[in-house]
Amino acid sequence: MTIVPRVRVFLAHLSGSTAVALCSLIVVFQIWYPSPLQSAVGVTSIYLILLAVDVTLGPLLTLIVYKPGKRLLWLDLLVIVVLQVAAFGYGIASLASGRPVWLVYNAGRFDLIQSFNVDERKLSEANPDYRRQSWLGPRWVSQRAPSDNAEHDRLLFDAVVGGVDLPQRPELYQPLERAAEQIRRQAQPLSRLTQFNAAKEVSDTLRSWPAANAYLPMMAKSRHMTVLVQRESGKVVAVVDLRPW
């Protein structure tokens, strides 16, 4: 059966849009928002809606306007492609600005910090390792204590008046290893997770991480999760989608 030119162009446009969408899925859900962090910040449904609209709208407009021999057809198609690319680019830029960039240990818990939450006002005071936000997934760090009472009071003032939480400030970051002793002291027994989650869900999840023998909570925008740790070493094992409290 011969496919009419309009349908052929529609299918070609749809195939190209789908290929781009699949590439973006890999970037978004494998690199920027590795599982289960996409659920922690609530990005999945938003992204899928954006993707469905953008992938289908361009090809459908092409199907509507395409007529062989139509005057200035190339201009109509160009406008459609430009609008589609602009909409897709805006969506990807929004996702990039919301990607998790830091997992910060702070006072007995971890905080998931998204790119747009980072306070860059004193970025020049940060360790050079923490002045740039990663494009390859979030990095683990810990928050150092204030160096003196004056800094403590200033940070407290900024947090209360300026609305900037301490984990959002890269000038306070240090390697996660420096908090190993605190993690060892404050980590909680895995058995406690059954108070907040179904016992089978806990056992099924922990089976995948046999090295873990304790946990700490992780604060995030949409859903609090659990960071599994190895108590003896104070090392992080994994983030899992279990309620920590």
Side-chain angles (χ1 to χ4, degrees):
M1 181 177 65
T2 302
I3 301 178
V4 298
R6 176 182 291 184
V7 176
R8 187 183 300 115
V9 173
F10 163 75
L11 292 176
H13 193 167
L14 182 62
S15 298
S17 298
T18 302
V20 172
L22 290 175
C23 292
S24 70
L25 277 170
I26 294 172
V27 172
V28 171
F29 290 113
Q30 295 296 321
I31 300 176
W32 291 352
Y33 297 83
S35 181
L37 300 187
Q38 76 276 12
S39 297
V41 297
V43 75
T44 304
S45 59
I46 297 173
Y47 175 69
L48 293 179
I49 292 172
L50 168 70
L51 197 63
V53 171
D54 193 63
V55 168
T56 58
L57 188 58
L60 285 175
L61 289 174
T62 295
L63 181 65
I64 293 170
V65 306
Y66 187 84
K67 293 180 181 179
K70 179 183 178 182
R71 184 172 177 271
L72 296 180
L73 175 62
W74 66 271
L75 183 58
D76 291 342
L77 297 178
L78 178 61
V79 170
I80 290 172
V81 171
V82 169
L83 290 175
Q84 185 179 13
V85 170
F88 186 73
Y90 176 80
I92 290 296
S94 298
L95 291 170
S97 70
R99 71 190 189 281
V101 289
W102 301 108
L103 291 163
V104 185
Y105 175 77
N106 167 43
R109 73 180 194 215
F110 285 90
D111 288 86
L112 186 155
I113 306 300
Q114 295 173 259
S115 178
F116 57 69
N117 290 139
V118 176
D119 182 3
E120 298 185 337
R121 290 176 299 175
K122 296 191 176 182
L123 198 60
S124 61
E125 299 179 13
N127 184 299
D129 290 340
Y130 309 130
R131 294 177 188 173
R132 292 182 179 273
Q133 299 176 13
S134 173
W135 288 93
L136 301 176
R139 297 168 57 192
W140 296 87
V141 294
S142 61
Q143 177 191 303
R144 68 169 177 81
S147 57
D148 52 37
N149 289 336
E151 184 182 33
H152 176 272
D153 293 342
R154 176 173 58 81
L155 293 174
L156 182 61
F157 178 83
D158 287 347
V160 174
V161 178
V164 178
D165 290 336
L166 300 186
Q168 298 173 337
R169 309 186 65 155
E171 72 269 22
L172 301 178
Y173 292 172
Q174 62 182 3
L176 182 61
E177 292 75 15
R178 294 189 183 178
E181 180 59 34
Q182 291 176 279
I183 291 174
R184 284 195 290 268
R185 291 199 313 266
Q186 296 175 326
Q188 303 177 44
L190 295 177
S191 58
R192 192 178 180 202
L193 289 171
T194 57
Q195 299 178 27
F196 319 110
N197 306 270
K200 186 177 187 306
E201 182 182 10
V202 173
S203 62
D204 289 346
T205 300
L206 296 181
R207 192 175 298 117
S208 300
W209 307 102
N213 56 13
Y215 82 94
L216 288 166
M218 184 189 79
M219 299 282 288
K221 175 183 176 182
S222 295
R223 186 186 306 180
H224 303 328
M225 291 188 174
T226 293
V227 177
L228 301 179
V229 300
Q230 214 284 328
R231 186 190 294 274
E232 291 73 19
S233 64
K235 292 182 177 180
V236 169
V237 176
V239 179
V240 294
D241 191 3
L242 293 173
R243 291 187 296 275
W245 44 44

